[in-house]
Amino acid sequence: MDAVQDRLLDMPLDALMAEAAAARDAGHGRVISYSRKVFIPLTKLCRDVCHYCTFAEKPRPGRPAYLPAEEVLAIARAGAAAGCTEALFTLGDKPELRWEQARQALDALGHRTTIDYLVAMSALVLQETGLLPHANPGVMNRDEIAALREVSASQGIMLESASARLCEPGQVHHGSPDKHPAARLEVIRQAGELRVPFTTGILIGIGETRAERLEALRAIGDLHAQYGHVQEVIIQNFRAKPGTKRAGAEEPDLEDLLWTIAASRLVLGAEMNIQAPPNLSPGVYQKLVAAGLNDWGGVSPVTIDHVNPEAPWPHLEELAKRTAEAGKVLVQRLPSYPAYVRVPDAWHAPKVAAKLRQASDAEGFARDDHWSPGETVPPPQRAPRLASVDAGLARLVERATGGARLDPPEIASLFAARDADAAHLTQAADALRAAVSGDTVRYVVNRNINYTNICGYRCKFCAFSKGKIHEALRGPAYDLDLAEITRRAEEAWARGATEVCLQGGIHPDYTGETYIRICEAIRAAVPGMHIHAFSPLEVTQGAATLGLSLGEFLAQLKAAGLGTLPGTAAEILDDEIRAIICPDKVNTAEWVAVARAAHALGLRTTSTIMYGHVEGPLNWARHLLVLRDLQQETGGITEFVPLPFVHMEAPMYLRGQARKGPTFREALLMHSIARLTLHPLIPNIQTSWVKMGPQGAALALRAGANDLGGTLMNESISRAAGTQHGQEFPPEAMEELIRSLGRVPQQRSTLYGEVPAERRAASFGAAELAPVVQTAPRRRPVGQPA
């Protein structure tokens, strides 16, 4: 390490910064993150007497020693209203060991120690406001760290320096027992053992040497190498403050700060999060970025920086603009960094993990909008700030447009696109859409018939199915008889439909004969109707009950009238995720086997993805490649349909086990990246108006999609999950939306053929639907549908 130290100490600053910036780019791309926070100074009493601090105060008559609960909540609620996600609790170190007033105040509050009160207030803020606490309470013992872990997203303590010399008489930490490096390093070590995402850092310009800074950084790096828990390292520059012993001390200059940031990056590595507070270095943001940082720390639109009250926070719009001028995009994060949010159960207590999931996107950053699938909140539209597109991303897009098969990490990297990169990606996808399918937007007039909501499976995302024991859960259970199924098909035909789409729960009494008889009944009642029915799960179950191979059973379904199969029950075609969300369902290989067998018989299928719950971009990439490879082999897939997860009534969301669906950026990118990565094999990308909403679907049609799906007439599954969009999108409304985009509407058949003129005529001005009859469950012989 001496050689490394000598190199860092001797390297010219420009070369050091260039190397650090390259390392930062390798680890973090174009993202510079920040946390939107409120600053809650729980107490300004402290037992330490640091020679540079204006935060710590002596007790004052008439001033409470601790913020009362109502003030804590008032600050937190103001932060929540301003879009904050973090409640930063800062406080003096163990004031009750020095001040009688602190002991008396704690007694009156019903708490033994300051940490006890901090734990209580953190729990209160978490419960009442949803803000995620981050706590900087100073030196703690193991039990205190563990207690705080239950109610906080992260914790922190500034190492400041690893030099015990600074604790000697005449130095800045003399008389401050909690500032001894050994005590602070032990807190960091114990936090690692307890798996707490932890913040630390160094304070430069307080009398230490550059070699001592490197010593502190190495100590931090060694602990992180052992436990993996140091989520960020702050490089904070000393600011001389009136009224302190160091009021006249020289502050570190910009060159010294830049050297330290760059050296920190090279000591701690590409993946480490290196932060420098922007309010302490106004006007030089681009230079700080050039030195290798990737985070601005906590910035508050509500409260001042109580540690540096003389240094106002930059306005977030200004910070975003200056960050963009440095070629980076400002992204809001949570108080726990993405690497920890992506595996929340490994690093957080259950209540905190649930809040983090609900507040995060697929990468682990904070959700960047208030949109969720199925809600009527208008989708956000933002103009890019960056002036250029990442060259590596542009090369990937060019390769995909040329028909190349990207690998999973390459596809996953596309999903990280933001700002100008995301705009470039969606524009390229839309241009490819125009080249492949022109300006025509197709849709099918169809009716969904969900023949039963009773299901023996326990998919954690499903709000539609009912168990036999708890049949009234989330509404009454039903099991349609053949008369109601055929009545709906006949009514759909009268209203211009060319397709009925049939799917349902896996009823434990159903056999393959049930599905065959449903097809026969519809074909007999409406011979011209295309039957689009039965997911790979239903086919697998039906074949097994009859002791038939997949091919044999599919042949019987085809003979009974089945025309095509929906490629649903796919969810995420990655068994790592299926083991979490649907462990008893068909696995990836089994799903593919059904599609392959259907294609071999000339039965074409759609394909889908259900995304935005527990999975991430790499899982999306694997899913897309499963479909691409299947299509390369069989050519039997007609279209790809992204289905964003609707969270509102989904069991795993209600249990705190899932996100709120994709963000709108992610949903739009799914359509665009699907267009690119499935090209030229799957030419049709469909958008779901039920989940995206009409406005969202319109934007998807400008981002690579060319199909608006079906009019549906009845939609049960997404409605059960909580979508607020309607159950039918009639042809008149579909065509109005399509024309508003300057595109040409066209009704299609299930297989993308033209529809007869009489079908199109019948679909316009259709009569109102008659009330549906949800046939109650009943006992019947096995295999009998009615």
Side-chain angles (χ1 to χ4, degrees):
M1 190 65 192
D2 289 342
V4 173
Q5 175 174 303
D6 290 345
R7 177 174 177 268
L8 294 175
L9 291 171
D10 295 340
M11 187 183 297
L13 181 60
D14 287 350
L16 184 72
M17 289 174 60
E19 187 175 334
R24 182 269 323 284
D25 290 347
H28 300 277
R30 307 188 87 183
V31 168
I32 302 291
S33 56
Y34 80 102
S35 178
R36 191 176 300 200
K37 71 178 182 185
V38 286
F39 205 129
I40 302 177
L42 196 63
T43 180
K44 291 192 172 185
L45 303 183
C46 184
R47 75 162 175 167
D48 296 319
V49 289
C50 300
H51 297 184
Y52 47 77
C53 179
T54 57
F55 177 79
E57 299 176 349
K58 295 180 180 180
R60 297 183 187 180
R63 175 175 291 187
Y66 295 86
L67 282 183
E70 56 270 21
E71 286 191 39
V72 170
L73 276 180
I75 295 171
R77 285 174 174 145
C84 298
T85 57
E86 175 182 346
L88 170 62
F89 283 91
T90 297
L91 51 154
D93 212 317
K94 300 180 182 63
E96 66 272 23
L97 299 183
R98 180 182 179 190
W99 302 107
E100 177 63 26
Q101 293 92 331
R103 292 191 290 273
Q104 292 174 354
L106 286 170
D107 286 343
L109 291 166
H111 293 278
R112 186 176 58 85
T113 67
T114 298
I115 301 296
D116 288 345
Y117 187 55
L118 171 63
V119 170
M121 292 301 97
S122 296
L124 183 67
V125 166
L126 183 68
Q127 177 65 34
E128 296 296 324
T129 72
L131 292 190
L132 293 153
H134 170 81
N136 290 331
V139 172
M140 295 179 285
N141 62 38
R142 185 183 184 87
D143 289 343
E144 290 169 335
I145 297 170
L148 196 54
R149 184 184 189 273
E150 294 298 308
V151 293
S152 65
S154 53
Q155 300 176 38
I157 188 171
M158 289 289 284
L159 174 58
E160 298 197 4
S161 175
S163 175
R165 179 179 61 82
L166 298 184
C167 296
E168 295 173 358
Q171 297 295 326
V172 292
H173 289 154
H174 180 62
S176 301
D178 299 298
K179 290 300 177 78
H180 197 284
R184 298 174 92 77
L185 286 168
E186 178 61 10
V187 173
I188 301 172
R189 187 193 70 78
Q190 291 190 50
E193 287 187 344
L194 292 169
R195 296 185 68 77
V196 175
F198 208 78
T199 292
T200 188
I202 60 174
L203 181 60
I204 69 169
I206 55 174
E208 82 294 345
T209 66
R210 284 188 173 182
E212 287 172 331
R213 292 179 199 169
L214 295 177
E215 179 187 356
L217 293 169
R218 286 198 300 270
I220 293 168
D222 289 345
L223 288 170
H224 181 65
Q226 186 173 359
Y227 299 108
H229 70 304
V230 177
Q231 64 169 5
E232 67 179 332
V233 174
I234 303 170
I235 309 303
Q236 183 168 336
N237 45 320
F238 160 74
R239 296 286 294 267
K241 295 178 173 62
T244 68
K245 291 184 178 181
R246 287 181 60 83
E250 185 178 356
E251 296 178 351
D253 61 18
L254 178 60
E255 181 176 309
D256 202 14
L257 176 60
L258 296 176
W259 180 90
T260 309
I261 292 171
S264 301
R265 172 63 65 197
L266 297 182
V267 169
L268 295 169
E271 299 295 329
M272 180 56 73
N273 297 295
I274 305 295
Q275 176 196 133
N279 61 318
L280 299 186
S281 302
V284 294
Y285 299 154
Q286 293 187 47
K287 292 184 178 180
L288 300 182
V289 172
L293 65 73
N294 70 289
D295 189 85
W296 292 124
V299 178
S300 181
V302 176
T303 53
I304 65 168
D305 179 352
H306 288 275
V307 175
N308 298 285
E310 77 287 355
W313 301 115
H315 192 282
L316 289 172
E317 281 296 314
E318 178 71 9
L319 188 61
K321 182 179 179 181
R322 299 305 172 207
T323 302
E325 289 172 355
K328 304 297 179 184
V329 57
L330 186 67
V331 177
Q332 185 180 350
R333 62 166 171 84
L334 302 169
S336 184
Y337 273 79
Y340 305 91
V341 175
R342 289 195 296 267
V343 284
D345 293 325
W347 289 97
H348 304 90
K351 288 183 179 179
V352 178
K355 298 285 188 183
L356 284 166
R357 283 191 187 94
Q358 293 169 359
S360 74
D361 67 11
E363 291 180 86
F365 288 106
R367 297 180 71 86
D368 58 2
D369 56 52
H370 298 292
W371 182 90
S372 283
E375 294 183 346
T376 55
V377 175
Q381 299 184 62
R382 301 185 182 98
R385 293 181 182 274
L386 293 176
S388 64
V389 175
D390 179 75
L393 179 136
R395 286 192 296 270
L396 287 179
V397 169
E398 185 176 1
R399 285 178 53 210
T401 302
R405 184 188 189 276
L406 304 183
D407 64 29
E410 289 173 329
I411 298 171
S413 72
L414 295 179
F415 281 108
R418 296 173 186 268
D419 201 83
D421 293 339
H424 175 76
L425 207 157
T426 57
Q427 289 162 9
D430 196 47
L432 184 57
R433 180 272 311 158
V436 169
S437 63
D439 285 336
T440 299
V441 176
R442 295 171 176 84
Y443 68 96
V444 61
V445 179
N446 68 345
R447 183 171 197 168
N448 269 12
I449 303 177
N450 303 119
Y451 41 79
T452 184
N453 61 356
I454 296 172
C455 187
Y457 285 77
R458 294 292 180 267
C459 300
K460 296 180 181 178
F461 54 83
C462 183
F464 172 73
S465 67
K466 320 295 177 196
K468 290 193 75 177
I469 297 174
H470 302 291
E471 290 178 342
L473 180 64
R474 298 188 300 272
Y478 63 83
D479 179 13
L480 301 187
D481 58 28
L482 283 182
E484 176 61 16
I485 292 173
T486 56
R487 186 199 69 77
R488 295 189 194 184
E490 290 168 341
E491 184 180 35
W493 182 262
R495 300 177 89 245
T498 58
E499 169 194 300
V500 285
C501 178
L502 296 109
Q503 295 177 93
I506 307 301
H507 195 301
D509 292 343
Y510 279 21
T511 71
E513 191 65 27
T514 309
Y515 303 120
I516 291 169
R517 292 191 180 185
I518 289 173
C519 290
E520 290 174 338
I522 293 172
R523 183 173 62 176
V526 194
M529 186 72 81
H530 183 99
I531 301 174
H532 180 63
F534 314 134
S535 73
L537 178 60
E538 290 156 297
V539 172
T540 300
Q541 184 254 3
T545 62
L546 299 181
L548 299 174
S549 69
L550 293 173
E552 290 169 334
F553 180 52
L554 284 164
Q556 291 190 17
L557 287 171
K558 184 177 181 182
L562 180 66
T564 51
L565 284 76
T568 47
E571 326 315 348
I572 299 293
L573 292 174
D574 184 341
D575 290 336
E576 172 189 327
I577 300 301
R578 300 183 80 78
I580 299 170
I581 66 173
C582 53
D584 56 349
K585 213 167 189 174
V586 291
N587 62 28
T588 299
E590 290 167 336
W591 188 95
V592 169
V594 174
R596 182 182 289 118
H599 298 167
L601 290 169
L603 289 168
R604 302 192 72 186
T605 70
T606 64
S607 60
T608 64
I609 186 172
M610 192 271 292
Y611 63 105
H613 36 89
V614 303
E615 80 309 342
L618 188 59
N619 309 112
W620 299 340
R622 292 169 182 163
H623 180 108
L624 290 170
L625 289 178
V626 167
L627 298 179
R628 180 186 172 95
D629 293 345
L630 174 64
Q631 183 75 339
Q632 180 82 60
E633 175 190 346
T634 69
I637 298 173
T638 55
E639 71 233 56
F640 174 70
V641 190
L643 300 173
F645 172 61
V646 178
H647 73 281
M648 287 77 85
E649 297 296 329
M652 65 182 181
Y653 175 78
L654 296 176
R655 296 181 189 124
Q657 298 170 340
R659 303 193 300 277
K660 292 182 176 181
T663 65
F664 190 74
R665 178 187 65 88
E666 292 166 343
L668 212 58
L669 284 177
M670 180 61 75
H671 292 77
S672 299
I673 293 170
R675 167 63 67 188
L676 295 169
T677 61
L678 297 176
H679 176 71
L681 300 173
I682 300 178
N684 297 305
I685 306 299
Q686 183 184 125
T687 186
S688 170
W689 61 266
V690 173
K691 295 174 172 63
M692 296 288 291
Q695 290 177 280
L699 291 171
L701 289 170
R702 289 174 166 163
N706 68 301
D707 192 275
L708 201 47
T711 58
L712 298 184
M713 300 191 194
N714 293 115
E715 200 295 316
S716 302
I717 296 175
S718 295
R719 295 286 291 183
T723 182
Q724 298 169 18
H725 301 299
Q727 296 192 63
E728 182 176 19
F729 201 1
E732 294 90 339
M734 278 208 172
E735 297 205 356
E736 181 182 2
L737 176 65
I738 293 165
R739 288 195 178 96
S740 74
L741 303 175
R743 307 274 279 279
V744 181
Q746 184 179 99
Q747 281 189 23
R748 63 167 174 86
S749 70
T750 306
L751 292 171
Y752 283 81
E754 294 185 7
V755 301
E758 65 84 14
R759 291 284 81 208
R760 176 174 168 82
S763 70
F764 284 82
E768 291 292 320
L769 287 166
V772 296
V773 177
Q774 305 289 49
T775 314
R778 62 227 181 264
R779 292 288 179 185
R780 54 198 168 87
V782 172
Q784 297 300 313

